[in-house]
Amino acid sequence: MLQIADLTIRYGGITAVHGLSVSVDEGELVALVGPNGAGKSSTLAAVSGLVTPAAGRIVFDGESLVGLPPEETVRRGVALVPEGRNIFGSLTVAENLALGATIRRDRRAVAHDVERELDRFPILRERYGQQAGYLSGGEQQQLAIARALLSRPRLLLLDEPSLGLAPLLVDAVFDTIAELRRGGMTTLLVEQNATRAVALADRSYVLRTGRAVRSGTAEELGGAAALASEYLGETTEELPA
Amino acid sequence: MSPLIQYSIDALNLGCLYALYALGVAMVFGILRLVNFAHSSLIMIGGYALVLTAGLPLALRVVITVVACVAAAVLLELVAFRAVRGANPATLLVTSFAVTIAMSSLAEAVFGALPAAADVHPALRESYSFGTVYVPKLNIATVVVTALLVGGLSLFLTRTTLGLQMRAAAADFTTARLMGVRTDRVISMAFAVSGVLAAAAALFLLAASGSVTPGFGVDAVLFGLIAAVVGGLSSLRGAAIGGLVLGVSGQLLQSFLPVEVKPFRDAILFAAVAALLVLRPQGLVAKAEGVRI
Amino acid sequence: MSVPLVLVLGVGAVALVAAQGPTSLQRTVVVALINLVLVIGLYVFVGNSGVYSFGHLGFAAIGAYAAGVLVMPAARKAQLLADAPEPIRTLTVAPTVAVLAGGLLAAVVAVVLAVPLSRIDGLSAGLATVSLLISVSVVAANWDSITRGRKGLSAIPSSTTLPTALAWAAVAIVAAWCYQRSSFGKRLRASKDDPVAAASAGISVPLQRGIAFVISAFFTGVGGALFALFLGSVTPDVFYLNYTFLILTMLVIGGADSLTGAVLGATVVSVLSEILRRAEAGDVLGLIQVDPRPGMQNVVLGLLLVVMLLRRPSGITGGREIRLPWAHRRHGVGVASPPADVTSGDAAGAARP
């Protein structure tokens, strides 16, 4: 469904991604793991159109996404939940959700989908009329995921969804991801929490300095725990803002 | 009726004018982070539109002026600011200077440097008198129209889809785009709204001064900028309140300062602003958004 | 010290060559040198702090009026400024002292202003300085006993010549360089790149900004004083928006992050606008004949500048100091400021609309 081939991303003189190739099949949950600066987030940014790659192809459903701005990729069915969640803190929860459905015209179906998200995340129903800035970190993450789902994406990009959350909330986030996967949502997940991401994903890519060094299922990678120990120390560092 | 009423209406009048200027600047700044000095060009265009249509019925002149200002605003964005969109702040700045100077030079070439006189409506020169108290009709018109515009703007921003998208874009443009908010559309709309505000400003400025020059609107925008800073630069509410406070204080100084220092009103006003900044550095309206440095 | 030396020699060479031309061109060179002093004055604050100030020319107006009043002979003051208070009416000083006094008065005003400005964030502070511009102009237009109000000061003995203007330009260049290489300048530059990190490293950003603001105001005041002592008159509307635009544009075009950029920008814009002025008057070195069209010079200049900036968003120099072929690279002369916006700027450029 998504094929990334020979992707190269540069910021000025710095190359963040070197000829990376990744593919995601329909209904698959694929994880990108690796230390800071491995180019994981840059890859998602390129797919969603936030950065223009220096070279390489990004094909989604047979159509190239390269050069499309984010407001167009979301119309093609790609939704990004950005790192740090980026909810609109000055707007209400309801308004945040309404913005998630910006590209849709079917008001009744949107209303129905909003109900579904409020069922999925009951706390958002309680906080529906409140400013989203007052939500806790875990609630903001729920809002960000619900908001992205309201565009009815065919590909969901999750950038560090568990970052900065308390352990219990991390569990909740991974539960949500698992549930989405059971519902057939095609997902590309970027995670610093390599153990859990690899264990949950159908396949994973291990990135290091902008290159995929290994890829495969959890067993092929020698077990999620073994993989994580490779990166112990590196994966728990604070990420740059 | 006490003179107090007169003072309050006069003060409210100037407050509303400054709020109009500040809102016009803040509208564009909120979305593009562009300090749009060229807002003065829009006011100038509105002024000349009113001069050129002198003799037509007022309603028609207002419509033509609004259309001219909105068209000019959208066109300026398209021709000048779109090319530099995403450039660094200094480039945006120089572009906005260049546009301002180019437009006033153009006006000078077309209309000459001398003031072009026109009346908005004879009734606006009259006053209601209550005993010894005179309240100019123009001041009442300014207050009422500004209140309507601000009310309409806030309804537009809170009740419509496009309004919501504009607020989202002002808060975090990148994330708004991820939601599918179309960049060109919200930016054009922000300029269009600033055009409407400029048209209103032109109307009241001309009604008060009676003539237009190529530099029409420049001082208005400078005061609008300062008002926006006083209120807190990145929120529309802040800009409106900043304008109101700056204008009301300015008019009160005008009314109560001794005659010999009256000419120095603006300098005194800004000294007070400086003092206010020492006491309330975040502006009058504390930001609801995350802190930016 | 080689960078300022090269800049001074370069400016001196251009000025002296141009001064061989007709008298009108000589006058233009003096104005260009005064503008250079104003640009460097502005650069000391903007270039080192990263904060754009829109009201700086208010300092130039202060310097201009102060110097103008001070150099005027007592006899003339008795006629023109009969209502001025005693010491001002009778005191007359040498031009150099007057220029220094103009700069110092501007610096004193800057010290007072720095207190409220340090309380708000950079962009707001830069905009708030517009109130200085308006205030100075309002005071100048109404303080009849000292400034003669709207009539302005006239009959100021002219003393700014090519050598004086060149000397002050050289002083400004060297001083700006010394400041930016001092520990104060370095601390402020660090805060420009990352205010949070700088603050956590113990740098007081408001204090460092304030220091730059005051030095910068001094040279802007000096520039204004030189201007008054060149033209022989000052009016309240000289140092206003158009002049502000011109000076800011000169700085941005050259590249606001480096002293080389400030000097180069002032030079390039001066030369361009002189060519355009002559074109407007109808001849470019006798080659092209154009219909005289007042005002079009500004339009063309504006367009040219925007196009240049689109091609080189960080100005002509891209924020770097001039590179000297004979300088030993390991000492880092000439790499005073790496182009900080290359990485962050590109990423932001891609993310922002």
Side-chain angles (χ1 to χ4, degrees), chain C residues 23-47:
Chain C
T23 322
S24 70
L25 193 59
Q26 280 177 24
R27 289 182 67 82
T28 310
V29 171
V30 177
V31 172
L33 286 169
I34 294 170
N35 287 343
L36 177 61
V37 174
L38 291 171
V39 173
I40 293 171
L42 183 61
Y43 161 77
V44 169
F45 181 68
V46 174

Side-chain angles (χ1 to χ4, degrees), chain B residues 15 28 42 52 58 61 63 67 87 102 105 118 120 131 154 164 205 227 239 251 275 292-293:
Chain B
V28 169
L42 300 179
L52 292 176
L58 181 61
R61 290 171 77 194
V63 171
V67 169
S105 301
V120 173
S154 81
L164 175 60
L205 273 175
Q251 187 59 47
R292 64 174 64 241
I293 298 166

Side-chain angles (χ1 to χ4, degrees), chain A residues 162-186:
Chain A
S162 77
L163 189 70
L165 296 184
L168 263 176
L169 297 171
V170 173
D171 290 348
V173 165
F174 277 100
D175 287 348
T176 304
I177 299 171
E179 185 202 319
L180 288 172
R181 179 184 167 221
R182 280 196 297 278
M185 175 60 71
T186 312

Side-chain angles (χ1 to χ4, degrees), chain A residues 132-148:
Chain A
Y134 295 120
L135 298 181
S136 71
E139 292 161 3
Q140 290 191 4
Q141 185 64 60
Q142 294 183 352
L143 177 57
I145 293 175
R147 189 180 63 178

